[in-house]
Amino acid sequence: MRATEGAWFLWSGGWGPGARVHSGLAYFPLKKLFTLLTASWRAGLLVAVTALIWCAHYDKWTVADWQVPTDYGGDAPEILAQMQAAADGDTLPLLPKVIDRLGAPFGADWNGYPTPDKLLMLVLGGLARFIGLFAAANVGMILTQVTAALSFYLVARWLRCRWEWAWAGALLFAFSYPTFHRGLAHFSVAITWTVPLGVLAAGLVARSRRLDWRSAGGLVCLGTAVALGVSTPYNLLFWLQLMTWAVVAQWYGARRRDNLRLGLAAMALAVAAFVAVNLEFWIHTQEPAGLPLVTRNYAGTEIYALKPMELFIPPVFHRWEAFAFLGHRYVRWSLWRGEVFLPYLGIFGIAGLLWLAAVAARRIFARQPLPGPFLAIGWLVAYAAVGGLTNVVALFGGVQIFRATNRVVPFIAGLVLIFLVTRLSRLTRRWPSGLRLGAALGVAAVGLLDQIPRPDSAAERQATAADARADLQLGRELEAVLPPGAMVFQLPVMGFPEVAPPYGLSDYELFRPYLTTRTLRFSYGAAKFRARSQWQGEVAKLPAPALVARLEAGGFAALEINRKGYADRAEPILRELEAMGYTRRLEDAGENRVVVLLRPATAPSWPLAGTLTLGQGWQSGLEDGVRWATGDGVFSYFNPCAHPLEVELELTLVAPAAGEVALELAGRTLRVIPVDETPVVVRLPRLVLRPGVNRGALRPRAATDGTSLRRDPSWTFGLKDASIKAAAGADTLVSVVR
C-alpha cells in the first residue's frame, strides 16, 4: 500500500456518494498499534525533545525552578486553586464540591461551577501531595505539550506518514501558538491531545470500509469519545460537529451500518462522559434559581468569535521584528479584538492552509470531490467565525455559553498540519533518507522559532519566583502563629468567579494564601450571588471597630488586607486597627499582604447575613433605590445552624400601580401583600428557617397598568429594602452559638 493509501476522507476523498472509499484503516492491526505505542524509540525521543523544548522555554532545569509556577497572575491562581482543592479531596466525582478551606466559615460551594478536565485535576492534585502544588502544576503544563506531540505523531503514523515528517508535524502541533501561548491561565484550553485523535475518529466513521466495534479503529473512536467527554467542553463541541458530519457522510454515502452505529455510539458516549464528570452541577447545586456564576451575552459571541484574518496575524511580541510589525499594524488598525493573536497558525500552518486551498480549487475545476480537510475546516470556520452560525445560534437560540469560538483553531491547526505532513511525506518519499530527515528537522526548527513566543525575561521570572517565595514564607509564618483550622478573613471582599478586581489587585489573587498554606481556612473563594457568602459583603462595609467585633465573634483569628485592592494602600484602616490595639501583624516581603492577628471568641458564633440574597427575576441594578422585578423575584437565605432558626423578616415593597404580591417560602404561600406606588412595609416577626439554604419567591398575582413609576414596561414590582435578624433580638450578623 502506498504511503497515502488508507489516508481516509480527510486527505484525498470527499464527502458524498461518489467519494472513493479507502481500505485498510479500520482494521489497522492491534499488534501494529501496540508496537507504535511501546516499541518505537522515535516516539520516546519525540517525548524527550518536546519536554526539553518546554524546559528551555520556561527555564526549568533545577529542582528549585520546578517549585515556581510558570504563571502566578491573572487566571493562573484559579487553576492552581482547582488543583489544590483536588489535593485536599474536595472535588471527588459525584460528591458535593464544597471547598473546606475556602469561603470560611461555611466552605465554598462550587457545585454550580463546573471544572473542566476534572480527572486530570484530580491526578495532579494527588501528585501535589507528594511533590508540591507548583511542581505538580508544572508537570501538568509539560504534559499538555508531550501528550499533544505524541497524539499527533501516532495519528500521522497511522495514516502512513513517514516518521520524520510525523515528528516535525507533532512538534509544530504541540507548540502551536493557539495552545502553547495560553499557558497555565488557560490550562484546560491548552490541553489538545484529544484533537488529532478526534479528527481521526471522525474520519474513521466517515470513510473506512467497515468499522468493527472490536477493531483498533473502533477502540480509537470509543476511547477518544470518552477522553473528549471528560475534557474541555469546547473541544467536545467542535468534535461533535465533525462527528455529526461524518455520520451524515456515511448516511448519504455507502451507508455502512457498523460505521453509523459506532459513530452515533461514540457521540452518545462522549455526552454521557461529560454528564458523568459534571453531575454534581445538577444534583448538588443548592440554589438552582440563583444567578448564574458564569454569565455570557450575545456581544461576547461576536467579540470572542473566530476572526479568520487572525489566522494569519503574528503577535506583536513575535521574536522576528518583521512579523511583529504586522501584529502592531493589526492592533493599530483593528477596532474589535477578543483573544487577539491566539488564532495565529504559524508560517507552516499558513503554508499548509494555502496548499490545501490550492488543491481544493484544482478539484473544483476538475469536478472531483473536495478534500476532506477543506470541507472540515470550511464547516468549522462557517460555524465559529464572527457573524457565522455561532452568532445565529446565540441570537436566535440563546446558546451563548460557548462564546469564545476562536478556540476552534487547534482543530484547524491539526487538520492543516496532518494534511501538510502527509503531503510532504509523499512528495519526499524518493529523497535520500538523510536529506529527508534534514528537511523535516529544518521545517520543525523554523516552525518552532516562529510559533514559540519570546520567553519571559530573567527579571520577569525572578519576579514570579519572588512572589511565590514571599507567599510561601508568609504562609509558614502564619501557620506557626495560628492553630490548625484557624480562619482568616480577607479584604477586599471579592466574589468568585469572574469579578472585576479593584484597583491594582489582579483576578483571583486572593487565592494565593490558600495555595501556600495547608492548615488554614480563608474567607475568599465563596461563590458570588449565593446566600452562603452574603454576610461577607455586609461585614466589609462596617467601620473597623464593628468589623473586628463581628469577625472575632465569628471565630476569625486574623484579618488579611491586600493593599493592592485599595487606592490608599489600606493605610487608614491599618492605622485605625493599630489605634485599637491590634499591633500584632505579619507582612509579606513585597509589602502587599498585611495580616493583622485578632482575638477570636472562645465560643464563636455563626455569622448570619442581614438581608436576603436575590436570584433570578430581578434587574441587575437599582433604580432610585429600588430593585425591580420583571416577573417572579427569587430569593434565598442561608441558615448555617443544624436546627431551625427563628428570624424577623422585614420587606419594603412598591409597585407601578395597585396589585398583589405573594410571599412564598419553600413552596408555601406565607402572605399575600397588597402593593401600589406607596412603599408598604411587611414584617414577619417569627419566621422559621430550616437548616441550609432556604429558597423563596415574591410572585406578582395581579397585573398592573400604572406607568408613573415604571421606566421599563417589564417591571412588575420593586423591592426597596429587605432586612433579616434573629427573632430573639440578637445581632443581625452574629447569633446562634455553634
Side-chain angles (χ1 to χ4, degrees):
M1 185 179 290
R2 293 184 340 188
T4 53
E5 287 291 312
W8 47 298
F9 83 120
L10 286 178
W11 316 127
S12 52
W15 284 340
R20 182 163 60 93
V21 178
H22 295 290
S23 62
L25 186 59
Y27 290 92
F28 192 83
L30 281 174
K31 183 177 180 181
K32 180 78 169 186
L33 178 62
F34 180 78
T35 301
L36 288 174
L37 288 171
T38 60
S40 175
W41 65 268
R42 300 184 182 103
L45 184 59
L46 173 65
V47 168
V49 170
T50 304
L52 288 173
I53 293 172
W54 186 92
C55 291
H57 179 77
Y58 287 110
D59 195 29
K60 301 295 183 185
W61 300 113
T62 67
V63 173
D65 293 336
W66 276 76
Q67 293 298 328
V68 177
T70 57
D71 192 359
Y72 205 40
D75 289 355
E78 190 260 340
I79 300 298
L80 292 168
Q82 296 277 5
M83 294 181 189
Q84 183 59 55
D88 291 342
D90 293 333
T91 58
L92 295 176
L94 304 181
L95 298 180
K97 192 165 59 172
V98 178
I99 315 305
D100 184 64
R101 292 205 300 119
L102 294 173
F106 308 130
D109 185 346
W110 285 5
N111 290 299
Y113 185 61
T115 304
D117 293 289
K118 179 186 297 182
L119 298 183
L120 177 59
M121 288 292 188
L122 288 171
V123 172
L124 294 176
L127 184 63
R129 299 170 66 92
F130 298 97
I131 66 173
L133 177 64
F134 296 155
N138 288 328
V139 170
M141 287 292 294
I142 199 170
L143 280 176
T144 61
Q145 268 61 63
V146 168
T147 55
L150 190 58
S151 171
F152 186 99
Y153 177 79
L154 293 175
V155 169
R157 293 291 286 155
W158 186 304
L159 299 175
R160 303 299 179 89
C161 179
R162 297 194 66 88
W163 76 266
E164 57 269 25
W165 288 111
W167 230 71
L171 289 173
L172 293 179
F173 179 77
F175 292 96
S176 59
Y177 197 83
T179 57
F180 183 62
H181 185 61
R182 288 187 180 274
L184 184 60
H186 285 179
F187 177 65
S188 182
V189 183
I191 300 171
T192 56
W193 69 271
T194 55
V195 171
L197 291 171
V199 171
L200 175 61
L204 286 168
V205 169
R207 295 293 297 155
S208 61
R209 177 188 299 174
R210 180 173 175 268
L211 194 58
D212 188 86
W213 292 77
R214 292 172 295 179
S215 67
L219 294 177
V220 165
C221 290
L222 298 176
T224 300
V226 173
L228 282 159
V230 301
S231 62
T232 173
Y234 275 101
N235 285 350
L236 176 61
L237 170 70
F238 301 131
W239 177 79
L240 286 174
Q241 294 177 19
L242 292 182
M243 186 59 83
T244 298
W245 279 113
V247 170
V248 170
Q250 188 62 251
W251 179 266
Y252 286 104
R255 195 177 295 189
R256 297 174 182 82
R257 291 184 179 181
D258 285 344
N259 292 42
L260 287 171
R261 290 171 181 169
L262 202 146
L264 293 172
M267 295 170 68
L269 188 60
V271 173
F274 173 79
V275 172
V277 297
N278 293 286
L279 203 56
E280 71 277 355
F281 179 79
W282 293 281
I283 64 176
H284 294 304
T285 299
Q286 293 187 338
E287 299 178 58
L291 294 176
L293 298 183
V294 178
T295 57
R296 299 292 183 258
N297 54 36
Y298 175 77
T301 66
E302 290 189 343
I303 295 172
Y304 298 103
L306 173 67
K307 300 171 182 63
M309 178 67 177
E310 292 186 353
L311 296 171
F312 306 93
I313 303 297
V316 295
F317 34 81
H318 198 285
R319 65 178 69 241
W320 300 333
E321 292 301 328
F323 282 50
F325 170 79
L326 294 175
H328 283 291
R329 171 177 286 184
Y330 181 73
V331 170
R332 290 195 307 269
W333 291 2
S334 60
L335 293 177
W336 204 347
R337 298 184 297 274
E339 294 179 332
V340 66
F341 303 128
L342 288 176
Y344 177 55
L345 284 178
I347 55 176
F348 288 108
I350 293 171
L353 185 59
L354 296 177
W355 190 352
L356 176 60
V359 171
R362 180 177 59 82
R363 292 197 177 186
I364 289 174
F365 289 115
R367 297 185 179 181
Q368 296 176 345
L370 290 174
F374 183 81
L375 293 173
I377 292 172
W379 165 258
L380 293 174
V381 171
Y383 175 83
V386 60
L389 293 176
T390 181
N391 297 132
V392 174
V393 171
L395 184 64
F396 295 104
V399 181
Q400 300 166 354
I401 190 66
F402 292 104
R403 62 173 180 174
T405 50
N406 69 78
R407 295 175 183 181
V408 74
V409 178
F411 277 86
I412 297 176
L415 286 161
V416 166
L417 288 173
I418 292 179
F419 169 82
L420 179 66
V421 295
T422 52
R423 287 286 174 141
L424 289 173
S425 179
R426 184 173 68 175
L427 185 66
T428 61
R429 66 183 183 275
R430 299 187 185 279
W431 290 14
S433 58
L435 180 60
R436 189 170 53 243
L437 176 61
L441 293 179
V443 166
V446 174
L448 290 175
L449 287 173
D450 167 46
Q451 292 177 181
I452 297 178
R454 293 175 182 173
D456 290 341
S457 66
E460 290 171 325
R461 292 195 300 270
Q462 291 169 5
T464 299
D467 287 343
R469 284 195 299 268
D471 286 347
L472 288 166
Q473 178 61 32
L474 182 58
R476 286 192 290 268
E477 294 174 2
L478 279 173
E479 291 182 312
V481 298
L482 297 177
M487 297 188 298
V488 180
F489 190 82
Q490 294 169 273
L491 289 178
V493 168
M494 290 174 57
F496 171 83
E498 296 187 359
V499 298
Y503 300 103
L505 199 63
S506 64
D507 207 3
Y508 304 121
E509 188 170 347
L510 294 186
F511 272 132
R512 284 163 52 172
Y514 167 66
L515 304 177
T516 51
T517 58
R518 294 296 174 266
T519 63
L520 303 181
R521 302 166 65 194
F522 299 89
S523 61
Y524 177 66
K528 63 183 181 182
F529 309 141
R530 296 295 183 263
R532 293 167 72 102
S533 59
Q534 179 71 28
W535 71 276
Q536 290 192 20
E538 297 170 359
V539 167
K541 297 175 183 177
L542 298 174
L547 168 66
V548 170
R550 300 287 193 259
L551 295 180
E552 290 181 337
F556 282 87
L559 171 64
E560 177 176 298
I561 302 173
N562 195 311
R563 293 174 177 268
K564 293 167 66 175
Y566 296 87
D568 55 14
R569 297 277 294 169
E571 287 295 339
I573 187 174
L574 288 171
R575 286 196 297 267
E576 194 170 1
L577 289 170
E578 189 172 0
M580 293 167 56
Y582 292 91
T583 56
R584 294 182 62 203
R585 64 170 64 172
L586 301 173
E587 193 165 356
D588 71 332
E591 299 183 344
N592 288 317
R593 292 172 52 200
V594 181
V595 181
V596 179
L597 301 183
L598 304 179
R599 305 166 191 129
T602 55
S605 307
W606 291 120
L608 299 179
T611 188
L612 302 175
T613 300
L614 302 184
Q616 297 178 13
W618 303 92
Q619 70 165 16
S620 58
L622 298 177
E623 290 283 348
D624 298 326
V626 177
R627 178 69 61 85
W628 290 95
T630 57
D632 296 344
V634 177
F635 65 83
S636 59
Y637 188 84
F638 180 59
N639 172 15
C641 308
H643 54 77
L645 175 67
E646 281 193 352
V647 298
E648 177 182 323
L649 174 65
E650 183 175 298
L651 304 175
T652 303
L653 301 175
V654 65
E660 292 180 341
V661 174
L663 172 61
E664 295 182 3
L665 185 66
R668 272 192 321 120
T669 300
L670 302 182
R671 185 172 297 184
V672 178
I673 307 161
V675 292
D676 55 25
E677 299 180 9
T678 303
V680 56
V681 179
V682 182
R683 292 185 180 87
L684 282 78
R686 312 295 295 184
L687 182 63
V688 178
L689 301 178
R690 61 176 178 78
V693 176
N694 293 261
R695 297 181 289 271
L698 291 164
R699 305 186 188 278
R701 283 196 169 182
T704 58
D705 297 323
T707 58
S708 59
L709 297 178
R710 190 184 301 201
R711 297 181 185 177
D712 187 322
S714 66
W715 292 351
T716 53
F717 67 93
L719 182 64
K720 193 173 182 65
D721 192 21
S723 64
I724 191 168
K725 63 181 179 181
D731 191 273
T732 59
L733 292 175
V734 179
S735 66
V736 190
V737 175
R738 298 178 192 172

